[in-house]
Amino acid sequence: MALSFEVVTESLSPRREQVIPGFVKDTRFNTSWWCSGSAKSPVSYCRFLDGDVEVARAKVFPGAGEYRGYTSWACPVDGATEIDLIEVRFDLRRSDRRYGRQAVEEIAHRYGQPVVAMSLDETSDGFWRSLAWTAHLHPDDEGHGHYRTLFTSV
């Protein structure tokens, strides 16, 4: 069964207005990501459902395009779809349902290719590599971890 995709809160305004996520508090997700704070538009907060059950969430920047210094990849003039945050409910991670993979596919279908993500940590790096995405290291990093790895779908 394919996941269904719902936009919870969205502003595609180029005016950089503050957007507050509209998620219901659920302790099976990282509440500091989804129930507090805000982001500047354009931004989409999305959730993914398996039937009537919420299984994943994402924060997406449609039309993103500032990846200065990552010389091994050039962002298209029209920008890219950046997945800023994505989370599968902690009790459903590593299941054979592959909710994370399905969520990323739904994001690409809705917002378009290419899709990019910046590394959060080693766990997220493993996820992006499992999708066969390309890792782009910042040339000024020299192995110190000062720059996050950029992962691209194409």
Side-chain angles (χ1 to χ4, degrees), residues 98-140:
R98 299 180 178 236
Y99 289 124
R101 178 181 294 271
Q102 288 186 66
V104 169
E105 289 169 359
E106 289 297 320
I107 291 167
H109 178 74
R110 174 152 180 141
Y111 296 103
Q113 294 277 2
V115 181
V116 303
M118 298 298 283
S119 170
L120 290 177
D121 55 30
E122 290 178 13
T123 302
S124 71
D125 290 3
F127 173 70
W128 300 118
R129 285 188 175 99
S130 77
L131 300 179
W133 283 26
T134 304
H136 302 275
L137 302 176
H138 195 285
D140 295 338

Side-chain angles (χ1 to χ4, degrees), residues 3-154:
L3 291 183
S4 59
F5 178 104
E6 271 184 20
V7 173
V8 175
T9 307
E10 178 174 69
S11 174
L12 302 179
S13 171
R15 288 184 281 171
R16 308 291 290 164
E17 61 192 24
Q18 291 295 118
V19 180
I20 298 174
F23 291 105
V24 173
K25 186 176 181 179
D26 184 332
T27 58
R28 296 170 297 181
F29 291 100
N30 182 336
T31 56
S32 69
W33 286 4
W34 309 114
C35 295
S36 63
S38 64
K40 292 192 176 182
S41 61
V43 63
S44 296
Y45 289 98
C46 315
R47 71 185 194 141
F48 303 88
L49 304 165
D50 187 349
D52 293 336
V53 179
E54 183 179 15
V55 297
R57 295 176 174 180
K59 177 181 174 186
V60 178
F61 296 134
E66 294 294 322
Y67 304 98
R68 293 186 182 126
Y70 291 88
T71 56
S72 62
W73 186 73
C75 186
V77 174
D78 295 340
T81 299
E82 182 176 334
I83 300 173
D84 183 56
L85 295 171
I86 188 166
E87 183 179 23
V88 172
R89 231 176 54 195
F90 78 82
D91 58 324
L92 299 173
R93 293 176 192 163
R94 303 194 195 303
S95 77
D96 61 350
R97 299 300 306 260
R98 299 180 178 236
Y99 289 124
R101 178 181 294 271
Q102 288 186 66
V104 169
E105 289 169 359
E106 289 297 320
I107 291 167
H109 178 74
R110 174 152 180 141
Y111 296 103
Q113 294 277 2
V115 181
V116 303
M118 298 298 283
S119 170
L120 290 177
D121 55 30
E122 290 178 13
T123 302
S124 71
D125 290 3
F127 173 70
W128 300 118
R129 285 188 175 99
S130 77
L131 300 179
W133 283 26
T134 304
H136 302 275
L137 302 176
H138 195 285
D140 295 338
D141 192 39
E142 299 176 8
H144 299 298
H146 297 297
Y147 292 90
R148 295 164 60 190
T149 302
L150 172 66
F151 285 91
T152 60
S153 62
V154 291

